[in-house]
Structure formats: C-alpha cells, structure tokens
Amino acid sequence: MKVLKFGGTSLGSAQNINKVISILNNYAESDTIICIVSAVGGITDKLVDAGELAKIKNKSYTDAFKAIKQIHIDIVNELIPTHSDSYRDESVIARIEEKLQVLKSLLDGIYLINEISPKTTDKLLSFGELLSSYIISETLKSRAIDSELKNAQDLITTNSNFTKAEIDYNITNTKIRDYFNTTNFKITILPGFISKSDSGEQTTLGRGGSDFTAAIIAAALKVERLEIWTDVSGMYTANPKVVKQAFPIKTISYQEAMELSHFGARVLYPPTVQPVLDLNIPIVIKNTLQPNARGTFISKRVTDKNSSAISSTPIKGISNINNIALFTLQGNGMVGIPGFSKRLFETLAQEKINVILITQASSEHSICFGIDIKDADVAKTTIDITFENEISLHKIDPIIVEKELSIVALIGDNMKNHQGISGKMFSTLGKNNINVRAIAQGASEKNISAVIAEKDIKKALNSLHEVFFEGNIKRLNVFITGVGNVGEKLVEQIKQQSQYLKNNLKINLRVVGLSNSRTMIFNEEGIPLDSWKEQLQQGEKSSFQGFLKTVKQLNLRNSIFVDVTSNSDLANLYPKYLRNSIAIVACNKIACSNDFKDYKQLKKLSLKYNAPFLFETNVGAGLPVIDTLNNLMASGDKITTIKAVLSGSLNYVFNNFDESIRFHDVVKQAQKEGYTEPDPRIDLSGVDVARKILILVRESGLEMNLNNIENVSFLTQSNLESDTVDDFYNTLIKDETHFQNLFASAKKNNCQLKYVAEFNNGKAKVGLQEIPQGHPFYNLEGKDNIVMFYTERYPEQPMIIKGAGAGAEVTASGLFADIIRIGNN
Ligand code: ADP
Ligand code: ASP
Ligand code: MG
C-alpha cells in the first residue's frame, strides 16, 4: 500500500489531471493506492482573495467567485466529455454547481456581515479540496477505474485551532484504520488539508497542509512509503524557481528535509515529516510532469554521501523565507536581569505568533528575533504593552522593527564536522555587497541562517549556491558600455572563448548588458551573442544613468561594468558602480588621469566595497604593463625610473615620416588607419602620453597630477593654437619645414625620432627625443609600445615590456584579460 499526494501544482488543468490519473493507473496495477489531492492549482489563493474582497465590502468578490466556478466547470467539461454515454456527466456538473452555490452563499454572508473569522476562513477554504477530490473521483469512475472518494473530514480530527488545527492522533488514527479495514478499492481519493474538530466544525491544517494529511494517513496505516507529487523533480539544493542552477537532492535525512522546509522550501509542508519519522516510512518527492525523474528520497539514513557528484560540500540545501520583520529589544536595564526573554516570548506565544529566528548578544543588552511580517503590528503592540513600565523608566528602549527582510539558511546534518562554512557563507555575502542584519546558528549546527534585505535574496541564493554547489564554476555578469570598434571586438572574443573559459577556468561569462550611444539591451540570462547587433538595434534608448540604474536593479552577483568609451561623464559615475560592489574594467583613461583625489577615492571605494577596478588598457593597450607594475610593487619592489614609448599613434607617425613625405600626409594617413584619436591633436600634443605616464607614476605609489608633468611640445605655436582639426592640418602644411628640420637633425645624428615618456627622481616629462642607434627604443616598429621599469631589484638592466600598443583587437584582449583577472580572484 502506498500513499500518493498530488499538490495543486499537479492539478492546475485537465491536462495535468490526466497525467495524475495515468500515474495512479500505473501504480494501481500492482498496489493499493491512497491518493490525497490538493485543491485545483491556485484555487485556495483565489478563495482567500474572494473572502477578503467580500469582507471589505468590495462587490467584485462575485467576479472572483465566477472565476473559481468557471475554472472547475471547464476542467470537468474537458475531463468528462458529454459524449461519454457510459457516464452521466450532467449530474456531475449539477453536483458541482450545487456545491458552488453553497460557496456563493457563504461569500454573500461574509459580504453582509463585513467580517471573516478564522472559523469561516476554514469553511471557505475547504471548498477547494472538496471540489477537486470530487472531480477527480468522478473522472476515475467515468473511466471505469476501481476507486472511491472518502472525505478526509470524516477521518482527520483536530482541535478548534482554526486555520492551523492540531491533530488528535488517537481519534484520527483509529478512524483511519477502521475505515481502511473495511474498504477494498484499488484507489481511494481523499481531499488533503481539510479536517473537522471533535465538535464537528470544519478546520484546516494550515496552508500547504495536504502534505500533512498524506503523512498522517501514511503513518496511521504504516504504509511502505509516502510519495509527494508536485511540479519539480524533488527537493532541490535551492528553490529552482529562483536559482536556475539548483538540482534535485537525491537523498536527504528527515532532519535536513524538515530544516529545509521550515526555512522556506515550500515543496514540503514542515509538519509532514513528524508522523512518518518514527515509523521510518520514507518520503519520496516526485514530479508529475516528469514521472520518470528520480526525485528525492527522504529517510532516516542517508546512504550516498551527497546528492551531487560534483560537490563534496556538507551543505544539503539553501532555503529562504521572505516577508520577515526583525524585532530588536534592547536597553541597559536588561543586562543580567533574568526573565526578560521569558516575558517577551510568552507575550508572543499568547498571540500565537511564531518566532522564526532568535539571536541574543552575550552582553544580554539586546534580543533580536524574526517573525512573519503579517504578525508584525500585533507583535509590536503587545510587546510595547508588556514592557510599558520598563520603557517609561528608560530601562529598555521602545522595540525597533525592521521590515522588507528575508532569511537565508544553509542546511546540512554534516555541517558540524566541517570548519569554515559560516566563514565562506558570510564572505560570499560580503563580497556581493549583501549586508547581514542578524545571524543565528543552532548548537546542533544543522543550519546557519542570516537575515538580509529582501531585495538581495535572489543574489544571495545564487551566489551561495555557486560557492557551495556548483563545483567552483563562477558566473561573471558583464555589462559593456560603448560597443564601437573595440567593444565589438571584445564581444566577439567573449563569444569565441566562452566554452574554453568554462572548461579550463571554470568561469561562466555572460554578457548581460550592452549599450552604444543610441540604444541599450539587457538579458539576465545572458544576451545571445549570435545576434547581439540586431538585438541592440531594437534596444531601448540608452543613457549612462539608465544603464547604471538597470545594472543596480538587476543586482546580480559578480557584476562587472566595462567602460569602452572615452567619456568623462561616464567616468564620473564610477563611484556609484563601486559603491554597489560592481567591479569596473575600463579602457577609458579619464578616471585614472583626472584629479589625484578622484583617482584615490576610486581606489578606496574599490577596496571598501570589494569591487575590483582594473584599467590595464589605459597604458599600452593589451600589454601587461600595469599588472606587471602592480606585481612588482606587491612583492616589495620600488620603481625608481620609467622610460617608455607609449603612443602607438606617434610611433606610427615618426616611423613613417622622412624627407620623401609631408608630415601633414603622414598624420592624415595615421588618422585614416584609426591610429589616432578623431582629433589628432590629442595625440600630437602629447596629452595622451602624459596621461599614460601619469597613471604609471600613480600606480607606482606617487601623488601626481597632469599639470606636474613637463610637456615639451614638438609642435609649433600655430599648430597648438589652431581652433579646429582642419585648421590644425593647414598649419601642419604651413610649418612643413619645421618638421623636416626635426627629421634632418635626427638623421644627421644617426638617430630616430621617438616620442618618449620619462619618470625619474620623482619627476615626469614627455617629449620628442632623438634616439641613438643601439638604444632599445631605436628599432621600435609600427605602432609598438615599450616600457622599461628600473627598480630597486632591476637597477641596471630594466624590466622591459614591448609589443603592439594600439589597435582594437589588442585593446579588446586587454579588457578581456582584466575581466578574467576578476573572475580568477
Ligand atoms: P504543491 O502544490 O505541489 O504542493 P508547492 O507550490 O506547495 O507545490 O511546492 C512546490 C514548489 O516549491 C516548487 O514549485 C518550488 O517553487 C518551491 N520550492 C521552494 N524551495 C524548493 C526546493 N528547495 N526544492 C524544490 N522546490 C522548492
Ligand atoms: N490547498 C491548500 C493550499 O493551497 C493546501 C495544499 O495545497 O497543500 O494551501
Ligand atoms: Mg505544497
């Protein structure tokens, strides 16, 4: 004999009810089946709503009623079609309409008296299960399946604690045994959740209570197992509707299942475990929509070490409860005086308020506890009354209530044998900028729970799940602003490398947001990169603020913002990103080369909010210049001198300039090939190089600003004073002799012209130099960069980094490398 319970999620439509019937049929071939059913999916909520509307004298309760009626009629029409001449479905519809008429009268009554008591609530909610069990039973009969309907209200006997009645096991067990001793049907259908008090009033077992009905019957009859059929393939490592990566737990102990359900895993109603536990009747959670899936086996002993092959964590699952209010009672008058907590919790017990979590600091200066938000107002009022005297004497403060909170809990029997779990839990939450309001850990160490803001719950569940269950695969959520030349290359590289990253670095990199100057798009699951351009074209209008707002709202773990613009307004938003623990990767140089104060502040924020701020591509595109410098510094070395050629554009210009060509034409060519900024004066004036050496100096640990850098320009006065780019080009033609003279002088001295940045003795300068043969800069080709670091450990032979220092492909790969650095962190 087996007890099978089908939840509302399995009974939402005629189609799903047919699935249930086919499962029952299968089982009944070889066994006797007791089948407990919930109300049709969503009906109990609808009944609650209708009752509330009627209570507040809102006429639309009749619409709510009509909707309830229609759902049931539609299901019957589909399950028992009129052409089925073997069965008189008309009578079924008639019976259902009769029952619904009683429901309508009850709602009318509530409307009239403008009130709904717990007793009436139970009467009202009972209709859900009464109707569903009747429909299913009639459907079985219409298909000539050997079955019987039994009203569980005749068997399950409770006290009069309406809406969550307590079972009288003596009476209930006897009634159940007596009834099943006398029947002999293959399948018996019973409504779950509903019961009667010993005085005959209708009661219910609490929301979700059909699971409990099934467990009570299973225990009374000592059946071989209890199966709970629902819409997911078992008890998952976390709520699968919130954590996409969650997976079914294969085996789990009663205690763990109880903890998980108590802390919010709705798949099992918490009291369900109790009746079957002592008798060691296993509970199996199964999926009606995928009956072949293995499901979760709940029993006393857990045989296989863990539910998952890839994880060796002692954590079985992570669950959460939303709608929590946190109360703090504190005051100097509490210290060392016994009885405060007793009075506090007695007060709550009298009001039947369930306390979900308690913490008390060892100073005894405060007690903190979490309850369901719906109880918050009553709790506050009664506590204020209980401690009225102490509050007026300022021995304790008026109670503090915080709302919009959730509890997240890690659960596992084996946690006590492992160190470092809570450390890992809280560092994960901290890294993701999730503030912990209170912590509780039972001495049994089966659970560690933390109270956090409700808005962070999704991020918390996902990041904890990643750390404890996902075999160290780390998900990075990337948001890119500025998908022009470089940005486009970056997206292509990400697309190409994503499988490699997963396989080799255990990084799951997703591009979640993209924007250019016109439009922006977001997709929490990752933008499909095959068609990102088309999608972006159809995106919403972009703005820097709008982009930031969405990144914040999405509130995803491991978020990385990538700035591929050269915009100063965007650089001004960096503090806002960092303050939300969103990492930044920038090729935009502005933030690091503006005022020193701003640069310093970004560094501070990055540390404070645990949000990396990386800008390797600010100097030498993809060359590892800043990373090398940081590593030298981290290992205790000190930079004494830097000599560098840092401008790919200027290098290109002087490598191609000689007596056979006009300086003007070379610059034009460089611009055409994309080696200069749109305004070539930014490169030729040396400002760009000055910014780069400034960044290197700052990263070497020195305070410096742009105006401290000596910039001896090789341009003429009229070049520098030109108003527009065209104007500038004209002055280049006019001053051709000046440039030819520069070249001739270098040639005469057997030198090459290179634009050099230098830092020495605490001072920095940039300017054009004649480089003699044999010098490392002499043979620098094309758009290459070179940086020489002289340090205390490299005093004579510098550390040299050399290679292509400009171009979209290498810059994109430099950005990519920064993203990976964050991933590997
Ligand atoms: P039923 O109507 O079948 O009783 P419930 O809605 O009561 O179904 O419970 C099933 C739901 O529980 C799932 O759809 C899922 O959203 C939720 N749930 C929450 N936490 C978990 C978890 N850890 N494992 C599985 N399901 C969970
Ligand atoms: N129908 C009831 C509810 O929705 C009981 C149950 O489904 O378990 O709470
Ligand atoms: Mg349920």
Side-chain angles (χ1 to χ4, degrees):
M1 189 183 264
K2 287 192 186 71
V3 173
L4 273 62
K5 176 260 169 178
F6 292 88
T9 54
S10 305
L11 305 168
S13 61
Q15 198 191 3
N16 281 355
I17 295 176
N18 275 326
K19 291 197 175 115
V20 170
I21 292 175
S22 110
I23 293 166
L24 288 175
N25 252 335
N26 257 338
Y27 273 61
E29 274 177 21
S30 55
D31 214 340
T32 313
I33 299 303
I34 298 172
C35 168
I36 316 298
V37 294
S38 291
V40 167
I43 289 296
T44 313
D45 286 338
K46 289 196 162 61
L47 288 166
V48 171
D49 294 345
E52 278 303 308
L53 288 169
K55 183 185 101 174
I56 58 168
K57 287 232 165 262
N58 185 329
K59 271 269 182 205
S60 62
Y61 78 91
T62 55
D63 296 334
F65 166 76
K66 278 183 202 143
I68 293 170
K69 178 170 171 177
Q70 200 55 48
I71 290 170
H72 288 98
I73 302 283
D74 286 349
I75 287 180
V76 175
N77 280 335
E78 214 175 310
L79 287 175
I80 316 174
T82 25
H83 54 75
S84 138
D85 32 59
S86 62
Y87 199 78
R88 295 198 319 272
D89 59 294
E90 290 308 325
S91 72
V92 177
I93 294 280
R95 281 297 312 278
I96 287 192
E97 283 185 340
E98 246 172 61
K99 285 181 204 280
L100 286 163
Q101 200 43 49
V102 184
L103 166 63
K104 175 71 176 25
S105 307
L106 180 63
L107 288 168
D108 291 341
I110 297 168
Y111 179 81
L112 272 179
I113 60 170
N114 194 204
E115 190 190 76
I116 183 166
S117 65
K119 185 166 153 180
T120 311
T121 300
D122 276 357
K123 232 178 237 149
L124 178 66
L125 298 198
S126 299
F127 281 92
E129 269 70 7
L130 287 171
L131 285 164
S132 66
S133 56
Y134 176 69
I135 292 172
I136 291 164
S137 160
E138 289 301 321
T139 309
L140 291 176
K141 286 185 187 159
S142 78
R143 296 178 192 179
I145 298 168
D146 180 21
S147 60
E148 176 72 340
L149 172 67
K150 175 69 186 166
N151 187 347
Q153 290 173 316
D154 301 340
L155 306 178
I156 313 281
T157 308
T158 67
N159 64 9
S160 298
N161 198 354
F162 295 104
T163 74
K164 203 172 182 181
E166 281 137 38
I167 309 294
D168 182 329
Y169 279 102
N170 278 336
I171 303 179
T172 301
N173 285 343
T174 311
K175 281 185 174 173
I176 293 172
R177 286 173 197 143
D178 288 352
Y179 173 74
F180 283 99
N181 270 336
T182 59
T183 61
N184 203 13
F185 293 96
K186 267 283 177 201
I187 301 171
T188 310
I189 304 285
L190 299 99
F193 176 58
I194 59 177
S195 42
K196 270 194 184 153
S197 70
D198 34 20
S199 57
E201 302 282 4
Q202 299 196 55
T203 53
T204 64
L205 306 182
R207 291 301 307 271
S210 293
D211 298 349
F212 193 24
T213 308
I216 294 164
I217 295 176
L221 298 175
K222 299 197 172 75
V223 300
E224 62 182 281
R225 71 194 216 168
L226 163 62
E227 295 189 359
I228 306 278
W229 288 76
T230 181
D231 66 340
V232 288
S233 299
M235 206 160 202
Y236 278 60
T237 45
N239 186 346
K241 306 239 164 93
V242 186
V243 179
K244 290 261 156 41
Q245 307 298 319
F247 50 85
I249 302 165
K250 286 184 186 135
T251 58
I252 186 170
S253 74
Y254 288 124
Q255 304 296 344
E256 290 170 323
M258 214 153 28
E259 290 277 340
L260 270 174
S261 64
H262 178 72
F263 278 92
R266 201 177 66 182
V267 64
L268 192 67
Y269 183 54
T272 307
V273 175
Q274 206 56 52
V276 294
L277 184 146
D278 293 337
L279 296 166
N280 213 358
I281 299 170
I283 306 174
V284 188
I285 315 269
K286 296 278 290 176
N287 188 348
T288 306
L289 311 174
Q290 288 172 33
N292 292 329
R294 176 174 163 163
T296 297
F297 193 84
I298 306 171
S299 65
K300 199 168 245 165
R301 195 159 296 169
V302 176
T303 42
D304 65 19
K305 270 224 147 98
N306 201 284
S307 52
S308 146
I310 55 162
S311 93
S312 55
T313 162
I315 311 291
K316 266 296 162 71
I318 307 168
S319 53
N320 67 294
I321 317 180
N322 295 346
N323 299 320
I324 295 293
L326 191 68
F327 280 59
T328 308
L329 189 66
Q330 60 185 23
N332 296 328
M334 281 168 61
V335 182
I337 298 174
F340 267 100
S341 3
K342 176 169 173 279
R343 282 167 63 204
L344 172 65
F345 293 114
E346 257 172 16
T347 306
L348 293 170
Q350 271 159 16
E351 295 296 329
K352 296 205 166 66
I353 292 172
N354 179 31
V355 178
I356 302 170
L357 162 150
I358 306 171
T359 65
Q360 179 174 24
S362 60
S363 71
E364 293 182 34
H365 177 260
S366 71
I367 301 178
C368 186
F369 61 92
I371 60 173
D372 192 310
I373 190 91
K374 73 173 175 3
D375 298 324
D377 291 342
V378 177
K380 169 144 177 54
T381 316
T382 48
I383 293 167
D384 279 345
I385 294 170
T386 304
F387 294 102
E388 204 172 9
N389 189 28
E390 287 85 349
I391 293 172
S392 70
L393 295 172
H394 300 294
K395 280 190 174 167
I396 61 173
D397 306 334
I399 192 138
I400 302 166
V401 187
E402 292 164 85
K403 295 182 180 172
E404 291 174 17
L405 298 171
S406 291
I407 295 175
V408 56
L410 295 188
I411 282 135
D413 283 347
N414 239 338
M415 273 171 16
K416 57 180 175 301
N417 301 324
H418 288 75
Q419 296 86 24
I421 291 173
S422 47
K424 204 160 156 186
M425 173 177 185
F426 295 111
S427 74
T428 303
L429 294 176
K431 268 190 200 147
N432 283 285
N433 198 24
I434 297 166
N435 192 18
V436 175
R437 291 290 309 108
I439 299 169
Q441 176 175 19
S444 68
E445 281 189 57
K446 286 185 195 315
N447 127 21
I448 308 173
S449 21
V451 179
I452 61 173
E454 194 158 324
K455 71 170 173 45
D456 288 329
I457 195 70
K458 188 170 174 196
K459 182 156 79 168
L461 288 172
N462 278 283
S463 39
L464 291 172
H465 196 271
E466 183 175 273
V467 169
F468 287 106
F469 289 107
E470 290 172 31
N472 293 328
I473 286 249
K474 188 169 187 179
R475 188 130 90 196
L476 302 183
N477 296 300
V478 174
F479 301 83
I480 306 173
T481 284
V483 274
N485 211 354
V486 175
E488 181 176 334
K489 288 274 180 328
L490 174 61
V491 176
E492 291 304 321
Q493 289 178 5
I494 291 175
K495 182 172 128 195
Q496 210 185 339
Q497 281 304 97
S498 71
Q499 201 53 46
Y500 176 90
L501 294 179
K502 258 187 217 148
N503 297 345
N504 297 284
L505 299 180
K506 301 226 179 268
I507 289 177
N508 177 4
L509 201 162
R510 299 181 309 176
V511 178
V512 178
L514 279 177
S515 73
N516 56 25
S517 54
R518 294 172 300 281
T519 48
M520 57 184 191
I521 47 169
F522 295 92
N523 182 337
E524 209 174 317
E525 294 313 316
I527 295 166
L529 294 184
D530 291 332
S531 56
W532 68 270
K533 282 190 192 160
E534 295 77 21
Q535 294 173 63
L536 185 58
Q537 259 173 12
Q538 329 250 302
E540 58 180 308
K541 195 173 172 320
S542 68
S543 71
F544 294 151
Q545 289 284 358
F547 198 80
L548 167 70
K549 196 170 148 208
T550 310
V551 178
K552 269 165 62 183
Q553 259 165 8
L554 283 170
N555 199 13
L556 299 174
R557 68 192 187 284
N558 308 328
S559 288
I560 304 175
F561 170 63
V562 186
D563 178 2
V564 203
T565 73
S566 51
N567 192 296
S568 57
D569 290 340
L570 187 51
N572 287 338
L573 290 180
Y574 288 3
K576 294 202 169 138
Y577 277 101
L578 295 175
R579 282 203 172 90
N580 284 283
S581 290
I582 297 161
I584 298 177
V585 168
C587 66
N588 185 348
K589 285 190 261 306
I590 309 258
C592 287
S593 57
N594 260 6
D595 198 53
F596 183 77
K597 256 195 359 268
D598 298 339
Y599 160 83
K600 214 54 208 168
Q601 191 211 13
L602 290 174
K603 290 263 161 181
K604 263 195 202 143
L605 290 175
S606 163
L607 275 181
K608 179 168 176 194
Y609 292 97
N610 224 322
F613 170 38
L614 299 183
F615 40 87
E616 179 61 88
T617 47
N618 279 194
V619 181
L623 296 177
V625 178
I626 295 178
D627 192 46
T628 305
L629 173 54
N630 291 158
N631 288 338
L632 289 172
M633 300 281 296
S635 67
D637 205 351
K638 201 166 166 255
I639 313 294
T640 49
T641 300
I642 304 171
K643 287 189 183 161
V645 174
L646 292 172
S647 169
S649 354
L650 285 171
N651 216 27
Y652 177 91
V653 167
F654 287 106
N655 280 344
N656 287 288
F657 177 52
D658 58 27
E659 58 271 80
S660 67
I661 187 166
R662 288 193 305 179
F663 189 70
H664 164 274
D665 297 345
V666 182
V667 176
K668 264 264 140 97
Q669 185 63 25
Q671 183 179 12
K672 200 171 135 214
E673 297 199 8
Y675 294 141
T676 69
E677 301 285 328
D679 181 347
R681 288 174 295 179
I682 296 177
D683 296 296
L684 292 168
S685 67
V687 169
D688 193 57
V689 175
R691 285 188 185 275
K692 289 175 180 167
I693 189 76
L694 175 67
I695 294 169
L696 293 184
V697 171
R698 287 176 172 180
E699 289 290 297
S700 310
L702 258 83
E703 178 170 347
M704 192 178 277
N705 273 314
L706 204 55
N707 55 14
N708 304 129
I709 296 176
E710 191 186 332
N711 183 347
V712 193
S713 185
F714 67 87
L715 294 176
T716 66
Q717 201 61 26
S718 56
N719 297 155
L720 290 168
E721 283 167 2
S722 58
D723 290 331
T724 64
V725 175
D726 285 345
D727 208 14
F728 173 67
Y729 273 116
N730 286 334
T731 63
L732 288 186
I733 297 176
K734 207 170 79 304
D735 292 337
E736 174 65 13
T737 332
H738 164 73
F739 298 108
Q740 285 300 339
N741 286 343
L742 292 175
F743 179 77
S745 158
K747 191 173 174 189
K748 195 180 91 211
N749 297 329
N750 257 334
C751 289
Q752 289 272 4
L753 285 174
K754 300 286 167 199
Y755 198 86
V756 177
E758 275 182 298
F759 164 68
N760 192 16
N761 265 334
K763 292 210 165 59
K765 65 176 183 194
V766 296
L768 196 64
Q769 292 186 11
E770 292 183 359
I771 303 293
Q773 234 168 356
H775 190 283
F777 293 175
Y778 186 84
N779 283 323
L780 208 58
E781 286 171 14
K783 50 191 190 307
D784 281 3
N785 278 195
I786 184 167
V787 183
M788 306 197 300
F789 288 119
Y790 293 84
T791 72
E792 285 180 352
R793 290 182 196 149
Y794 294 87
E796 273 123 34
Q797 288 304 317
M799 176 176 273
I800 299 181
I801 300 151
K802 182 180 158 193
E809 198 76 53
V810 286
T811 309
S813 71
L815 291 167
F816 202 173
D818 272 349
I819 295 173
I820 300 307
R821 254 173 223 133
I822 295 174
N824 282 333
N825 189 335

